Each structure stands twice: as C-alpha cells, then as structure tokens.
C-alpha cells in the first residue's frame, strides 16, 4: 500500500525548495519592498480578470451562426447548397478541410501574433492610436483575427463604445475557444462581396472547386479580397486582384509559406474566376434530407457522383424516347446492398421542367404498386409451409364477398405451379394466397417494414392490397426488395453517413424463402421480359419484378443482384393514365439499361442455395409428396421441417361398373361386376372452370342411384351471389345470378330460394332469378343429396 504521509512530506519538501530558489526570493523581496506600484498592478490585473469573469457570466458569448445547409456526396464534395435565413451563401468549411497553407497565409497577412496574443495585440493598439492621433484620422487599424471574428459575429457600426464591446467579445472568444476554433470561425465568416461569405463559399462560387483542390495562387487570391471585397470583385476586378495577389505571394515566399518554385508557378497563373451558380445537384434528395434533418448543416450523403450522373442521363434519354406516347417522367433509386446506402437518387428526369411537374419527388410520391408486392407474399407463404415452387395453385374465377379479381391479360389458366403464378404475375392465385396467409398479418409485416400508408390505413385494407390496392413509395419498395439479396433481413435504407441513430435489422422472411423467390424472379421465360430483349447482347444477371397500377398510371420495375437494388417508376405525376403504359415494356427496359451501365462487369453467379434449403421429388400434378400412383415427378426446393409434407391425392380411386357408366361408393359396391378406376381429384372451382371453358377432363360417372348411404361431405359451393352481402335493386324485375362449384362426379344440382325449388340445372349452368326483398336464403343441393346454404339481403335502391 502507498504511504500517503511519506508522499505528503516529500511533496512539502520539494515545494519549500522551489520557494527558496532565486526567482521566488527576488519576487518576495520586490513584493515587500517600497515599490507599491507592483502590488497596485497586480491587484489591478486581478480585478480586471474578476470583472471579465463576471461580465462573461452576465453577457455570455453566443455562437449561433447560421450556415448554409449543404449536401455532400460520398467523397465530401458539395452537391447542393441552400441559402441561410438571412439570404447569404455561407457554406461551412469543416476543420479537416482547412489547409495549413490557408491558415498560414491569413495569419501572415492579417495577424502575425495570432498564435500568441490573448485576442488583443496591445502593441498594435498603441501603434494605431499613435498614428491616428498624429494624422487626425483613421490611418491604421489594430484588429486581430480574433477581433475580426467578434465583429463578424456581432456586426456593429464603428464607434469607440462598439470597439470596446468588440475587444470584450474577442477576449471571450480566446477564453472559451482554441486558436484553431477561432481560425475556423474566421475562414467561415470572411466577406467576399455581395451575399458570399466564407472561404468555402468563395472557392465554390468563383473557382467551382473544393478548398483542397485550390492552387497557392488561388488561395492567395482568397486571402487578399476580404479586406476590400467591394473593390476587389472576382470576375470584375481581376486585373487589380492579380496585382494585389502577386504582392502577397512574394511576401509568402519570403517568409517560407510557399517555395520558390510554387512562387514562380503562382505568379504566372492566370486568374480564371467568375461567378458560378450555386451547387444544385440531386435536388430531390437534398430537399428530402432538409426535411428529415432540419437541424443538420452538413448533410453527408452516400451519393456516388458517377452513378448519379449515369442514372440521370439514362432516365432523361429514355423518357425523351417515350414522351410522344404520353409518359413524361421517371424516378430511380439505387441502393448498395452491402450497407443499404442510397448511392443514386433521381426523383424526376428534370427538376426544372414545370410542365411535367419535375419538382415532384417520384421516390417519395405515394402511388399504387401494382403487382410489386407479390414476391413478399409468396415468401411469407413459403415460410408458413403453404407453398413451394412446384405447388399447384388454382387460377380460375373466384368471388370474395363481391370482389372478383381478374388477371392482367383477362384470361384464366386453370391449374398452375406457384413459380409460374409468380413469374406470370397471376392475380387470382395471389389473392387466394393472401386470403390464406391473412390480410392483417401481411399488412402488419409491410407496416413494420416501413410502409407508412399501409400502416396508417391497415383497418381499411382488403384483398386488393396484393394487386395494388394501397399506397407505397418507391423508396419503401426498393428498401424492402433489398432484403432478398440480404437473406431476408430488412433494414431501412441509409441516406446520410453521420446519422447517429442505429438502424435496426429485422428478418421478414427466411434465407430459404429469399432464395426460392429470387430463383423464380431470375428466370427469363416470363411475360414481363421486354419484347425482343432476349436477342440483345447482354442481359443483366438480376432478379426483377414488374408492376402496373390500375388505369395504367404507374409502371414499376424493381431489380437486384448481389451488389445493388434498383427501383424504377415511370408515369405522369398528375396521375394521367397511358393506354400503352406497363411495367414490362416501359420500366423493365430502363431497369436493364441501368444495371448494364452501373454494374456491367458483374457477371458472376450471385444466387447460391442456403443450407436451410434442400431438394426433393414431388408430384408434378400437385407439387406434393408423391404416392405410389404419382407417375410424373419433378425436383422441387423445400425447407425441411417447414414445407408441407402432405401426401399427394391428385387421383381418386373409384369403383365403377365394367362399362364405366355408374360409380359406386364403399357401401354400394357389388361383389361382382365392379372395377377400380383412377379419376382426377379436382377441386370444385377447377371443375366449374373446366365445364365453363369446355375443357375436357375425366369425369366420375353418375353415382349408383340405388345407394342409400352417400357421404355428406364436399357439397356444392355457391359462388354467386356472395354470402352475407346486401344487394340494392333498381326495380322489382332486376335479377341475380346463381352459380356454384361442385366436385368431380356431380351431374346436376337443385336451386332453392327461401326453401322453394326454382330450378334443376347442370353444375356449370348459369341461372338467373328475381329475388324477394329482405333476407333471402339460397340453397344448392347436388345429385348426391349434399346441400349448401347462404343468406343475402335485398333492398330497393333509394
């Protein structure tokens, strides 16, 4: 342990020894001598210091300087700037941007003793007072750099009382800030004429360069102007500026700030300075960043200027080629998948095109997404074990309480695999799948993934959600699509580099589901491949999905590979539809051009199967685990322990007579004269569709009429009218349609209204009837005595 008593004794000894040295002894003798003025000066200085401390507390220094907000690219180059509240261009220069040459030049010209004085150069003050009295006018100034900063922070007319305030503020600056910080304030506030203040502003507006790129001659130019900005105007008084610049260049070389060779080059360098426009690149992103981060002055984006220029030029040229068709605008966002940073952002093809409403930000505009949400629904269904790529789904007319979705081509395809349903972007299978997954669960997932409109309107969303019956932003869509190349993990996109908020990550589907959906979306045999593009020289290796909103107002294409996710929207901001507009022929070609330009060299196979996925053989007729009767088998992806393992039942064994005219159940099958036959075990809606479209299929013969024990399961399904629905009738003669779906083997059905039979009909026959007012019971019975009932309400329209 430490012996603190010994330590204290040792320190006391050392202290006494220091007191007894010669210097302290001399001070001690002087203090106790007859020179009272020493004490007076000492007490005077202490008093001044205490007064300063008191005044500093009463009148604190305020450094709320209003800088021009700027947006920088990924390399720190200024892309866009905004005026300050007092309408000045005062671009902030960061400490790391301030070069040693710039500081040395300003100190040499303005304040030799800047690094040593406390804010006031008393020798310079005495000299200035002497010269001004001698010449009876202001002949010489004594302002230090610190005093100039104080004057620029609080501009006042030049009077002696204001000079005292300036001195006090200078002392405060020195008391509270370091010399480096004071110099930083100085270079940010020095005037350059008009409404331009600060070295960075002058560098950008007159030389169109960042500070780091300035030559010694250009730096010398910026150093000589602030003392007389009204008479040394860049672009106007260049000849006068050159003379002043060269004088100081020689002085800088004399004291060693620049070398002789630099001096020779600088003296011969012409002054090519003129007033440039304010930086105004990426205007849509800049405005959006100002909205999101109103308190930030320097907004450091991830924008890659090369990528930004490419997407702007390609989008502009593409719209120019389709504008004659009535499509006037496009929006593009490019996300770097590794960190979800936005490296390209184009809200419209021309910000200044008022005719096409170019100032609208298409990336933040809320639009109908068309079919672009389908991949996420299928991914969720994969994780729930509902489907795998080879699972067979029904694409036939359906009715969900009056909602009857149709496909884009207005055709139905019967039985299709899940991968074809997604690749063909069929609507009915997607609606059916959403009904099975659950609207609330799907909408909640989207809401938690940044879809604000869906989150706010979740209570009013229905099955049309999956077909574009909602509002989304291009940023939201592209952000969610970037989860696919990131193994199903969602993370909100990053817009600025110095955002202190930690952006959370959340898995929205498994890596296995992400792989299966991506594998489907990379296939080229699909209708949203642009016409004739398969003959092009280079197709990008990407997964992509298109969408077209109702009324052909919006065309979408979102694509991704291992490096980037790119979202594309085309349309008109006023919401005008275009008959020819669709995602395949408009948005996809633009998407392909962007990928071929931005990531042309990426030819590697980026899609690899994760360990959570395996292969298995399934029945081609159902996509389920095959039984002994399944002859045609195909390879399918599946997730062990998650994907359904139901055994296939696409065939049904039925006993019939030898002629195949009568079918028997297990209760009525005869001992002799019956044979086994295999019949397709089709869902009722498929049978109804086949009958309506006259598609042949192997029908089960009519059941034995002498049988008294028929199963009561799988009765008719009434598809029209919709159950629990209110119908408004124009007049008493208006009729409603009766339709149903039945299983294989049903030959006819009976229709009842309020328990009264109205018609015997074929299962595929359409029956019309005039309903009574009020509550109506509708019943349908098949030839196997199986029955279904629904209830509707009929009211007269007022």
């Amino acid at each position: 342990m430490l012996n603190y008593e010994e330590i204290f004794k040792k320190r006391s000894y050392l202290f006494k020894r220091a007191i007894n040295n010669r210097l302290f002894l001399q001070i001690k003798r002087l203090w106790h001598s007859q020179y009272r003025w020493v004490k007076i000066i000492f007490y005077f200085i202490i008093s001044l210091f205490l007064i300063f401390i008191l005044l500093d507390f009463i009148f604190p220094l305020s450094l709320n300087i209003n800088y021009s907000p700027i947006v920088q690219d990924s390399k720190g180059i200024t892309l866009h700037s905004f005026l300050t509240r007092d309408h000045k261009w005062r671009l902030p220069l960061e400490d790391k941007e301030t070069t040693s040459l710039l500081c040395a030049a300003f100190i040499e010209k303005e304040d030799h003793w800047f690094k040593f004085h406390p804010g006031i150069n008393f020798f310079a003050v005495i000299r200035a007072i002497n010269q001004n009295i001698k010449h009876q006018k202001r002949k010489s100034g004594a302002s230090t750099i610190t005093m100039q900063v104080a004057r620029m922070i609080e501009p006042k007319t030049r009077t002696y009382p204001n000079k005292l305030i300036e001195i006090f503020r200078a002392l405060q600056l020195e008391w509270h800030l370091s010399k480096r910080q004071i110099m930083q304030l100085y270079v940010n506030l020095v005037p350059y004429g008009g409404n331009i203040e600060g070295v960075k502003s002058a560098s950008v507006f007159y030389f169109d360069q960042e500070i780091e790129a300035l030559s010694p001659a250009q730096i010398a130019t910026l150093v000589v102007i602030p003392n007389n900005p009204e008479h040394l105007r860049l672009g106007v008084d260049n000849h006068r500026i050159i003379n002043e610049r060269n004088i100081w260049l020689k002085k800088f070389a004399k004291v060693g700030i620049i070398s002789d060779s630099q001096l020779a080059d600088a003296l011969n360098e012409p002054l090519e300075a003129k007033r440039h426009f304010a930086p105004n690149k990426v205007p849509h992103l800049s405005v959006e960043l100002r909205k999101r981060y109103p308190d930030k002055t320097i907004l450091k984006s991830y924008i890659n200027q090369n990528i930004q220029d490419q997407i702007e030029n390609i989008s502009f040229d593409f719209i120019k080629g389709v504008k004659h068709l009535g499509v006037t605008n496009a929006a593009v966002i490019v996300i770097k998948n590794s960190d979800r940073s936005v490296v390209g952002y184009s809200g419209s093809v021309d910000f200044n095109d008022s005719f096409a409403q170019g100032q609208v930000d298409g990336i933040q505009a809320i639009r109908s997404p068309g079919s672009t949400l389908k991949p996420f629904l299928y991914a969720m269904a994969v994780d729930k074990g509902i489907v795998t790529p080879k699972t067979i789904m029904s694409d036939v007319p359906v009715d969900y309480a009056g909602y009857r979705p149709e496909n884009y081509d207005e055709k139905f395809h019967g039985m299709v695999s899940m991968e074809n349903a997604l690749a063909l972007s069929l609507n009915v299978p997607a609606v059916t799948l959403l009904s099975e997954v659950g609207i609330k669960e799907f909408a909640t997932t989207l809401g938690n993934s940044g879809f604000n409109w869906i989150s706010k309107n979740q209570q009013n969303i229905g099955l049309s959600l999956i077909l574009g019956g909602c509002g989304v932003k291009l940023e939201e869509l592209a952000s969610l699509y970037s989860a696919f190349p990131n193994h199903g993990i969602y993370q909100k996109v990053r817009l600025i580099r110095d955002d202190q908020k930690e952006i959370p990550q959340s898995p929205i589907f498994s890596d296995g589901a992400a792989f299966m959906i991506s594998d489907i979306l990379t296939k080229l045999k699909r209708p949203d491949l642009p016409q004739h593009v398969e003959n092009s020289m280079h197709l990008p290796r990407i997964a992509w999905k298109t969408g077209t909103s109702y009324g052909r107002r919006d065309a979408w294409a979102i694509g991704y590979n291992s490096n980037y996710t790119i979202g594309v929207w085309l349309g008109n901001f006023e919401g005008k539809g275009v008959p020819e507009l669709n995602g395949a022929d408009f948005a996809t070609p633009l998407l392909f051009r962007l990928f071929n330009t931005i990531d042309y060299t990426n030819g590697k196979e980026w899609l690899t199967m994760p360990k959570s996925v395996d292969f298995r053989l399934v029945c081609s007729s159902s996509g389920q685990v095959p039984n002994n009767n399944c002859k045609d088998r195909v390879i399918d992806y599946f997730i062990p322990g998650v994907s359904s393992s139901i055994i296939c039942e696409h065939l049904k064994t039925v006993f019939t007579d030898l002629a195949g005219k009568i079918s028997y159940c297990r209760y009525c099958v005869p001992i002799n004269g019956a044979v086994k036959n295999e019949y397709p075990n089709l869902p009722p809606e498929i049978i109804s569709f086949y009958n309506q479209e006259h598609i042949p299929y192997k029908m089960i013969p009519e059941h034995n009429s002498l049988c008294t024990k028929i199963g009561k399961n799988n009765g008719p399904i009434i598809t029209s009218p919709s159950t629990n629905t209110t119908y408004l009738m124009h007049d008493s003669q208006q009729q409603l349609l009766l339709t149903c779906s039945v299983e294989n083997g049903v030959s006819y059905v009976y229709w009842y209204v309020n328990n009264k039979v109205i018609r015997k009909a074929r299962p595929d026959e359409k029956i019309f009837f005039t309903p009574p007012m009020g509550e109506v019971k509708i019943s349908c019975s098949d030839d196997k005595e199986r029955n279904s009932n629904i209830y509707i309400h009929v009211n007269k329209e007022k």
Side-chain angles (χ1 to χ4, degrees):
M1 295 180 64
L2 294 172
N3 190 328
Y4 291 100
E5 187 175 353
E6 290 182 7
I7 294 174
F8 177 78
K9 289 180 179 179
K10 186 175 182 180
R11 288 182 177 176
S12 299
Y13 168 76
L14 293 173
F15 180 73
K16 291 177 181 177
R17 184 177 177 182
I19 290 177
N20 291 326
N21 66 33
R22 291 183 178 181
L23 177 61
F24 279 88
L25 287 173
Q26 290 176 3
I27 294 174
K28 188 175 180 180
R29 293 193 195 99
L30 187 63
W31 182 260
H32 292 287
S33 69
Q34 67 275 24
Y35 298 108
R36 294 182 58 193
W37 60 267
V38 175
K39 294 183 180 180
I40 294 173
I41 293 174
F42 175 78
Y43 288 127
F44 179 72
I45 292 173
I46 293 297
S47 300
L48 286 178
F49 177 74
L50 293 175
I51 292 171
F52 169 74
I53 295 297
L54 179 62
L55 291 176
D56 181 62
F57 177 76
I58 298 173
F59 304 103
L61 181 67
S62 177
L63 293 176
N64 295 323
I65 300 169
N66 182 215
Y67 290 110
S68 296
I70 62 172
V71 177
Q72 297 178 340
D73 70 357
S74 58
K75 297 180 179 179
I77 298 173
T78 303
L79 296 174
H80 200 98
S81 60
F82 298 88
L83 281 167
T84 62
R85 289 190 295 270
D86 55 350
H87 306 290
K88 297 287 183 68
W89 292 113
R90 195 180 294 122
L91 308 187
L93 182 69
E94 292 186 275
D95 182 67
K96 64 181 181 180
E97 297 177 278
T98 307
T99 63
S100 58
L101 175 58
L102 179 69
C103 293
F106 268 121
I107 291 173
E108 175 64 26
K109 183 178 183 299
E110 298 292 333
D111 189 357
H112 289 286
W113 303 99
F114 170 70
K115 293 182 179 181
F116 307 103
H117 62 63
I120 306 168
N121 188 336
F122 294 100
F123 298 105
V125 171
I126 294 171
R127 186 197 69 237
I129 292 174
N130 181 50
Q131 291 186 3
N132 292 343
I133 293 174
K134 182 178 179 181
H135 295 88
Q136 297 296 309
K137 63 178 182 179
R138 187 177 184 276
K139 187 70 176 177
S140 174
S143 292
T144 62
I145 285 178
T146 312
M147 292 172 67
Q148 292 182 55
V149 170
R151 185 168 61 247
M152 289 184 288
I153 291 174
E154 295 182 2
K156 290 180 173 61
T157 56
R158 294 198 174 188
T159 63
Y160 286 110
N162 287 340
K163 194 69 175 179
L164 292 175
I165 295 174
E166 181 182 308
I167 291 172
F168 171 66
R169 292 301 188 195
L171 292 171
Q172 282 184 300
L173 286 168
E174 294 282 349
W175 179 253
H176 292 285
L177 303 179
S178 67
K179 290 290 185 180
R180 182 76 180 181
Q181 290 172 316
I182 294 171
M183 176 56 72
Q184 197 64 31
L185 285 172
Y186 179 78
V187 297
N188 273 310
L189 296 174
V190 287
Y192 285 92
N195 64 342
I196 296 178
E197 293 183 1
V199 174
K200 186 181 182 76
S201 302
S203 175
V204 170
F205 278 88
Y206 290 118
F207 295 118
D208 196 25
Q209 289 180 330
E210 297 292 327
I211 292 292
E212 300 93 324
L214 295 181
S215 67
Q218 291 171 322
I219 288 178
T221 301
L222 297 182
V223 168
V224 301
I225 292 175
N227 277 138
N228 198 1
E230 300 304 323
H231 292 87
L232 296 175
R233 294 171 296 172
L234 281 166
V236 178
D237 304 310
N238 283 6
H239 180 72
R240 191 184 304 169
I241 293 172
I242 289 174
N243 292 335
E244 189 73 14
R245 178 199 73 180
N246 290 347
I247 291 172
W248 281 100
L249 280 171
K250 294 174 183 177
K251 292 182 179 180
F252 295 157
K254 188 176 181 181
V255 296
I257 295 176
I258 59 175
S259 64
D260 292 338
S261 61
Q262 287 178 315
L263 174 64
D265 293 336
L267 291 174
N268 293 322
E269 183 177 315
L271 179 56
E272 298 176 350
K274 64 177 182 178
R275 177 69 180 260
H276 295 272
F277 290 109
N280 60 352
K281 296 180 180 179
V282 290
H284 294 98
L285 175 62
S286 300
V287 171
E288 183 63 23
L289 290 178
R290 283 285 288 148
K291 289 179 183 177
R292 297 192 188 188
Y293 306 96
D295 299 327
K296 278 187 174 292
T297 300
I298 303 176
L299 297 157
K300 302 177 180 180
S301 76
Y302 290 92
I303 292 297
N304 181 313
Q305 280 213 58
N306 184 39
I307 291 178
Q308 183 67 26
D309 292 341
Q310 289 171 338
I311 66 175
E312 288 180 358
N313 294 334
I314 293 172
S315 301
F316 183 85
D317 292 340
F318 189 88
I319 289 298
K320 191 163 60 174
V322 299
K323 190 171 283 189
H324 67 282
L325 297 174
V327 181
T328 60
N329 244 310
V332 177
I333 186 171
V334 182
I335 300 171
K336 188 178 179 182
N337 291 331
S338 59
D339 59 3
R340 316 296 176 97
S341 59
V342 175
V343 296
Y345 190 109
S346 175
S348 71
V349 294
D350 186 355
F351 185 83
N352 298 314
D353 186 353
S354 57
F355 178 78
Q357 299 179 333
Q359 293 189 11
V360 175
D361 188 349
I363 295 174
Q364 302 301 326
I366 298 177
R367 317 288 296 192
S368 168
S371 298
T372 54
L373 296 176
K374 290 176 181 176
F376 308 107
L377 173 65
Y378 281 94
M380 288 181 64
V382 168
D383 281 337
K384 285 180 170 292
I386 298 174
V387 294
T388 57
K390 299 298 182 182
T391 299
I392 299 301
M393 308 177 72
S394 297
D395 179 34
V396 297
V398 292
D399 187 316
Y400 290 97
Y403 177 56
R404 300 181 176 91
E406 294 183 349
N407 290 319
Y408 180 80
D409 58 3
E410 299 181 351
K411 298 178 181 179
F412 297 97
H413 302 78
M415 301 180 73
V416 296
S417 66
M418 180 274 265
E419 60 183 357
N420 284 336
L422 177 56
L424 297 173
S425 196
L426 300 178
N427 290 340
V428 174
V431 171
T432 303
L433 194 60
L434 178 58
S435 176
E436 193 169 353
V437 169
I439 299 172
K440 183 177 180 180
E441 182 174 351
F442 184 59
T444 300
T445 299
L446 293 177
N448 294 337
S449 302
F451 286 74
N452 293 325
W453 189 96
I454 294 176
S455 180
K456 293 177 182 178
N457 297 274
Q458 190 170 332
Q459 300 301 321
N460 302 318
I461 289 175
L463 289 171
S464 62
L465 165 66
I466 197 61
L467 305 184
C470 60
V472 305
K473 299 177 182 179
L474 181 56
E475 179 187 329
E476 296 169 345
L477 267 179
S479 180
L480 192 55
Y481 267 88
S482 68
F484 283 111
N486 283 287
H487 314 293
I489 297 175
Y490 166 78
Q491 186 179 35
K492 193 174 181 181
V493 294
R494 300 175 184 270
L495 292 177
I496 61 173
R497 286 175 278 141
D498 56 350
D499 190 354
Q500 300 300 318
K501 296 179 181 178
E502 184 176 348
I503 302 178
Q505 295 182 344
S506 58
I508 53 175
F509 40 80
S510 67
D511 59 347
F515 166 76
M516 291 185 197
I517 301 304
S518 297
D519 182 64
I520 294 170
L521 296 181
T522 56
K523 291 179 169 52
L524 298 178
K525 298 297 181 181
R526 45 197 278 193
D528 58 354
L529 188 70
Q531 296 181 9
H532 310 301
V533 76
E534 63 273 12
N535 298 322
S536 66
M537 294 295 291
H538 187 81
L539 281 176
R541 293 177 178 269
I542 62 170
W544 85 95
K545 182 72 182 75
T546 63
T548 306
S549 68
Y550 178 78
R552 296 178 183 261
R553 296 181 176 90
D554 309 277
W556 305 83
I558 320 289
Y560 57 90
N561 61 11
S562 58
N563 294 331
Y564 298 104
T565 296
I566 301 179
V568 171
W569 171 89
L570 282 87
N572 300 304
F573 287 136
E574 71 271 20
K576 180 182 177 182
V578 177
E580 296 84 2
L581 185 66
N582 62 74
D585 295 328
F586 282 78
T588 306
L590 177 55
L591 178 72
F592 283 5
R593 289 189 196 180
L594 291 168
F595 264 110
N596 279 336
T597 304
I598 294 172
D599 205 28
Y600 181 83
T601 57
N602 184 22
K604 63 181 180 181
E605 291 292 341
W606 59 275
L607 194 59
T608 56
M609 188 175 74
K611 294 180 179 180
S612 61
V613 176
D614 206 344
F615 298 103
R616 70 179 178 184
L617 287 174
V618 296
C619 176
S620 62
S621 298
S622 67
Q624 297 174 332
V625 178
N627 60 29
N628 294 332
N629 295 325
C630 297
K631 306 301 180 185
D632 296 324
R633 305 183 182 191
V634 294
I635 296 177
D636 190 19
Y637 293 119
F638 80 110
I639 302 177
V642 175
S643 300
S644 172
S645 57
I646 295 176
I647 303 299
C648 174
E649 295 181 349
H650 83 280
L651 292 177
K652 178 190 292 186
T653 302
V654 178
F655 287 96
T656 67
D657 61 0
L658 296 177
K661 301 295 184 180
I662 300 174
S663 62
Y664 304 105
C665 65
R666 61 191 181 92
Y667 297 105
C668 66
V669 59
I671 298 176
N672 298 312
V675 294
K676 286 183 179 181
N677 283 306
E678 300 290 341
Y679 290 88
N681 188 20
L682 300 174
E685 66 272 13
I686 291 293
I687 293 174
S688 178
F689 173 71
Y690 284 172
N691 290 334
Q692 290 177 11
E693 299 296 322
H694 306 291
I695 298 174
Y697 65 97
K698 189 176 181 180
M699 293 184 61
I700 298 175
E702 186 176 344
H703 192 69
N704 177 19
S705 60
L706 301 177
C707 180
T708 59
K709 293 186 177 181
I710 301 177
K712 299 302 180 182
N713 296 326
N714 301 327
I717 299 173
I718 300 174
T719 56
S720 178
S722 301
T723 185
N724 298 324
T725 302
T726 299
Y727 290 86
L728 300 178
M729 314 302 286
H730 297 293
D731 54 63
S732 58
Q733 301 302 314
Q734 188 173 348
Q735 295 185 321
L736 293 179
L737 172 67
L738 295 174
T739 59
C740 68
S741 298
V742 297
E743 70 170 10
N744 195 356
V746 176
S747 301
Y748 56 86
V749 296
Y750 294 94
W751 288 101
Y752 300 82
V753 175
N754 290 337
N755 299 322
K756 293 182 180 179
V757 66
I758 62 169
R759 183 78 178 272
K760 175 184 177 182
R762 299 187 313 275
D764 60 333
E765 190 175 349
K766 295 180 179 179
I767 306 300
F768 290 90
F769 79 106
T770 303
M773 294 296 166
E775 186 178 69
V776 180
K777 176 184 178 182
I778 298 174
S779 306
C780 182
S781 299
D782 62 14
D783 53 9
K784 298 180 181 180
E785 299 182 6
R786 294 174 298 190
N787 184 74
S788 296
N789 301 314
I790 67 167
Y791 291 87
I792 65 172
H793 290 269
V794 180
N795 297 327
K796 188 173 182 179
E797 188 177 36
K798 296 181 181 180

